[in-house]
Amino acid sequence: MDIKRKLTLILSALVLCASVFAENPDDEIASVENESPTDCEAESGVEADSKKSIVNWISTNPEWSLSFDARVRNYQNFMLYTLSGGATIEMDMNEIYGRTGFDCSMSQVNCTIEAAYAPTLFEKFNLGLILINHFNWYFDSYYEFDFLTGLYFSANPLSWLNIKFTALYQLKATQIFALANTSCSRFDSQCPAFRLEANFYPLDWLEASVSISSYDTYTYFLFFSPIVRLSLGYKCNDHLTLSVSGKAQFVDFFTLSANFNGLGGSVCAKWRF
């Protein structure tokens, strides 16, 4: 009897142990299944934060837009100088920006190509290079070519504010028809150029910008003939924006004879796609 009892106790202990070990793995698996998503999410979050780069070299899904403009300009006496119109196509990938367009009137035509590459730093700033080519043909008088290159900087300190700044070096070549076959018929010049612009987005449907610069999209005077511009835009929907802008220009700004050179204005319809 003693041996049978001992065998019975041993077998009972083995069955009990087996049942315990059989239940523990399921409990552990269940606990792992219940806890693993949270743990994995936490670990993946930490890994994502640790792997997040401070520099974004290029983005995808570019935004394209097509703009149609009508412009008016005058001289110091406020007499009408030119009425012109044109179109501009733009591509914006945040780090890569490009645009090209033309503006023409009865007396002249302007063409501009602009491209910039500026990687994003800390998700707030863009710093890189910009190139601008401009050609102006004044039918009966002259033609000129402008090439500008330099630094491009953009910052988004607030959700409703964007600041842009360019510091450029400008090369200008001019051919004057009336002085053909003389030493003065063609001349080259070079100077610095810059642009400081602030863009505001106070409401979903309202855009505003103010800038001071030594050049404009189709205007490239020698340094420093500042252009002060103010623009307002109404965002009709996700695609269409209507805007108006006005500008004033001065010449010989660093001398005692600094003069007001004229006013200009434009209306624009911009379609994003």
Side-chain angles (χ1 to χ4, degrees):
M1 284 297 289
D2 293 337
I3 294 175
K4 290 182 179 181
R5 288 179 179 176
K6 290 180 179 179
L7 291 175
T8 302
L9 292 173
I10 292 171
L11 290 173
S12 299
L14 291 173
V15 171
L16 181 61
C17 291
S19 63
V20 170
F21 281 104
E23 292 177 359
N24 283 343
D26 293 336
D27 294 338
E28 291 176 1
I29 292 173
S31 64
V32 170
E33 290 178 352
N34 292 332
E35 297 177 3
S36 59
T38 304
D39 295 340
C40 291
E41 289 176 0
E43 291 177 0
S44 63
V46 173
E47 291 178 358
D49 292 338
S50 63
K51 292 180 179 179
K52 186 180 293 184
S53 175
I54 62 174
V55 180
N56 187 30
W57 298 102
I58 190 170
S59 299
T60 56
N61 300 323
E63 179 185 89
W64 291 84
S65 64
L66 178 63
S67 302
F68 295 96
D69 306 82
R71 295 181 173 85
V72 59
R73 284 173 286 181
N74 59 41
Y75 273 144
Q76 298 172 342
N77 56 7
F78 299 104
M79 295 295 292
L80 181 64
Y81 171 45
T82 58
L83 284 171
S84 63
T88 303
I89 187 168
E90 300 180 43
M91 187 277 293
D92 191 351
M93 291 178 60
N94 196 29
E95 289 78 23
I96 299 177
Y97 171 80
R99 69 174 175 175
T100 182
F102 69 93
D103 179 70
C104 59
S105 68
M106 297 297 293
S107 58
Q108 65 178 322
V109 60
N110 285 274
C111 298
T112 297
I113 300 175
E114 181 178 335
Y117 175 64
T120 302
L121 308 175
F122 305 103
E123 300 182 347
K124 289 289 185 181
F125 310 96
N126 291 80
L127 180 63
L129 300 175
I130 183 172
L131 297 173
I132 301 175
N133 287 309
H134 167 251
F135 177 76
N136 176 28
W137 179 22
Y138 203 97
F139 299 144
D140 299 325
S141 301
Y142 67 91
Y143 69 80
E144 64 180 1
F145 174 77
D146 297 286
F147 175 77
L148 298 87
T149 183
L151 295 177
Y152 171 90
F153 174 78
S154 176
N156 297 282
L158 300 170
S159 60
W160 50 269
L161 175 63
N162 170 258
I163 298 173
K164 294 181 180 179
F165 176 74
T166 60
L168 307 171
Y169 190 72
Q170 177 179 345
L171 300 174
K172 179 184 288 287
T174 304
Q175 177 73 55
I176 302 174
F177 303 146
L179 300 177
N181 301 321
T182 70
S183 59
C184 299
S185 64
R186 183 179 181 86
F187 66 89
D188 299 328
S189 57
Q190 47 192 312
C191 63
F194 87 100
R195 181 179 179 88
L196 177 61
E197 177 182 333
N199 299 285
F200 306 91
Y201 308 94
L203 301 171
D204 292 339
W205 52 270
L206 179 63
E207 300 176 356
S209 69
V210 59
S211 66
I212 180 171
S213 63
S214 63
Y215 66 93
D216 202 4
T217 305
Y218 300 109
T219 305
Y220 295 84
F221 281 73
L222 295 178
F223 193 85
F224 175 59
S225 299
I227 301 170
V228 180
R229 174 185 289 273
L230 175 65
S231 300
L232 292 174
Y234 172 70
K235 191 174 181 181
C236 303
N237 51 49
D238 291 338
H239 298 285
L240 178 62
T241 300
L242 303 177
S243 62
V244 295
S245 66
K247 68 176 182 179
Q249 186 173 28
F250 303 84
V251 295
D252 299 326
F253 201 73
F254 284 146
T255 70
L256 295 177
S257 61
N259 291 310
F260 169 72
N261 191 51
L263 293 174
S266 67
V267 294
C268 174
K270 183 175 182 179
W271 181 263
R272 296 181 177 87
F273 56 93

